[in-house]
């Protein structure tokens, strides 16, 4: 799940990203950033994976290098990037040395993939600003999705509070926000209402909810679960 600080930092304009390690995770990060229009440099020690990324056009640039060598990273311009994602999970030594290299060279935001808790601890010790556990996080997300399928999107503000996107439930169809008084009845607030193309933020109390529309709701997780969705 996402953390607000990271999102704020990584959304500023013209950010440049480098992804080190082009396995499934690294390639997925490259593809998503590239689709969102960011400059992404992908690197791997394996030339085949570099060529694949270039052929499939899932990154703006791709270079073959050994990320344990600071000189190679410097030459490739990795140290000038705003954010570097170290997507090497299985090669512990390489992952740790790479994280240390980029952090020591002054890269502002370093995100590192960990394959175990102890690996994560070491990555933090060598300076990683954020450590991700993709398999663990995907497992948690799946469990939430299986138990709360009605949440289209979920953004965790902290361990207790979230912003969720839900389809307007049947029970709310045809009623105004003031009639529903969700703050009083459920302890949640509606931040926006959307029709799939456009959102109205801070909807007024007279806004009528209709089936098929989407509501963006903020609240305590326990209260959000009480919504009749
Ligand atoms: P996943 O598919 O789950 O993302 P994986 O098993 O494909 O993981 P890892 O073993 O975590 O990949 O490694 C990711 C990539 O990192 C591999 O493609 C590997 O070639 C690359 N890699 C390993 N060592 C280095 C290094 N020293 N410099 C650059 N890339 C490296």
């Amino acid at each position: 799940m996402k953390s607000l600080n990271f999102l704020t930092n990584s959304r500023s304009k013209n950010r440049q990203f480098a992804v080190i390690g082009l396995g499934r995770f690294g390639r997925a990060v490259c593809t998503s950033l590239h689709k969102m229009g960011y400059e992404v440099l992908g690197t791997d020690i394996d030339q085949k994976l570099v060529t694949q990324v270039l052929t499939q056009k899932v990154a703006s640039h791709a270079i073959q290098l050994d990320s344990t060598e600071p000189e190679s990273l410097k030459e490739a311009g990795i140290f000038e990037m705003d954010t570097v994602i170290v997507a090497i999970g299985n090669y512990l030594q390489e992952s740790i040395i790479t994280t240390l290299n980029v952090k020591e060279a002054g890269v502002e935001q370093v995100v590192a993939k960990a394959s175990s808790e102890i690996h994560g601890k070491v990555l933090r010790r060598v300076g990683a600003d954020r450590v991700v556990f993709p398999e663990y996080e995907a497992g948690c997300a799946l469990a939430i999705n299986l138990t709360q399928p009605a949440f289209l999107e979920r953004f965790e503000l902290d361990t207790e509070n979230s912003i969720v996107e839900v389809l307007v439930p049947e029970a709310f169809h045809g009623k105004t926000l003031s009639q529903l008084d969700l703050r009083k009845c459920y302890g949640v607030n509606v931040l926006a209402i959307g029709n799939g193309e456009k959102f109205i933020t801070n909807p007024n109390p007279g806004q009528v909810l209709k089936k098929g529309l989407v509501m963006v709701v903020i609240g305590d997780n326990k209260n959000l679960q009480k919504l009749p969705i």
Side-chain angles (χ1 to χ4, degrees):
M1 295 291 160
K2 307 146 209 166
S3 117
L4 198 57
N5 284 345
F6 175 70
L7 206 73
T8 314
N9 289 341
S10 57
R11 281 219 173 140
S12 55
K13 279 182 204 158
N14 304 323
R15 288 192 75 88
Q16 289 189 312
F17 296 85
V19 176
I20 302 176
L22 298 170
R24 285 165 302 176
F25 175 73
R27 265 203 315 277
V29 176
C30 275
T31 309
S32 297
L33 287 168
H34 190 58
K35 271 191 193 156
M36 286 189 271
Y38 288 100
E39 282 277 308
V40 195
L41 166 64
T43 71
D44 201 288
I45 199 164
D46 183 343
Q47 179 63 49
K48 265 195 304 196
L49 294 176
V50 171
T51 308
Q52 208 178 69
V53 158
L54 287 172
T55 318
Q56 294 170 353
K57 297 192 171 79
V58 298
S60 335
H61 319 277
I63 295 176
Q64 185 273 334
L65 57 77
D66 180 348
S67 58
T68 60
E69 296 170 356
E71 240 353 90
S72 309
L73 293 170
K74 190 174 171 201
E75 266 176 38
I78 305 271
F79 298 154
E80 274 101 70
M81 299 286 161
D82 306 292
T83 301
V84 173
I85 297 103
V86 181
I88 306 174
N90 294 316
Y91 304 88
L92 290 203
Q93 188 172 316
E94 284 77 359
S95 140
I96 293 160
I97 295 173
T98 303
T99 304
L100 185 68
N101 284 343
V102 286
K103 211 50 217 176
E104 270 195 349
V107 172
E108 194 190 323
Q109 179 85 10
V110 177
V111 182
K113 169 188 167 177
S115 54
S116 67
E117 217 164 294
I118 188 73
H119 183 193
K121 258 189 196 170
V122 178
L123 289 171
R124 278 192 201 97
R125 280 288 174 102
V126 296
D129 300 285
R130 183 177 179 197
V131 175
V132 292
F133 301 84
E135 293 83 3
Y136 173 80
E137 286 161 19
C140 294
L142 176 65
I144 288 173
N145 178 269
L146 291 173
T147 52
Q148 297 162 1
F151 290 167
L152 305 173
E153 279 287 353
R154 183 191 184 99
F155 182 86
E156 286 194 339
L157 294 168
D158 58 32
T159 51
E160 284 166 22
N161 301 285
S162 305
I163 297 174
V164 297
E165 208 177 89
V166 287
L167 281 172
V168 168
E170 183 86 48
F172 293 178
H173 177 70
K175 300 199 170 122
T176 63
L177 285 174
S178 82
Q179 283 171 329
L180 290 165
D181 203 357
L182 299 182
R183 187 185 291 202
K184 193 163 158 219
C185 299
Y186 295 95
V188 301
N189 283 299
V190 177
L191 297 177
I193 300 199
N195 61 7
E197 281 177 14
K198 222 172 169 310
F199 276 97
I200 301 168
T201 53
N202 298 319
N204 66 52
Q207 174 74 45
V208 180
L209 297 185
K210 295 209 173 101
K211 256 181 11 185
L213 294 181
V214 167
M215 306 190 294
V216 180
V217 187
I218 187 168
D220 179 293
N221 293 336
K222 285 190 197 127
N223 289 335
L224 289 168
Q225 277 166 29
K226 289 182 197 150
L227 288 170
I229 45 183

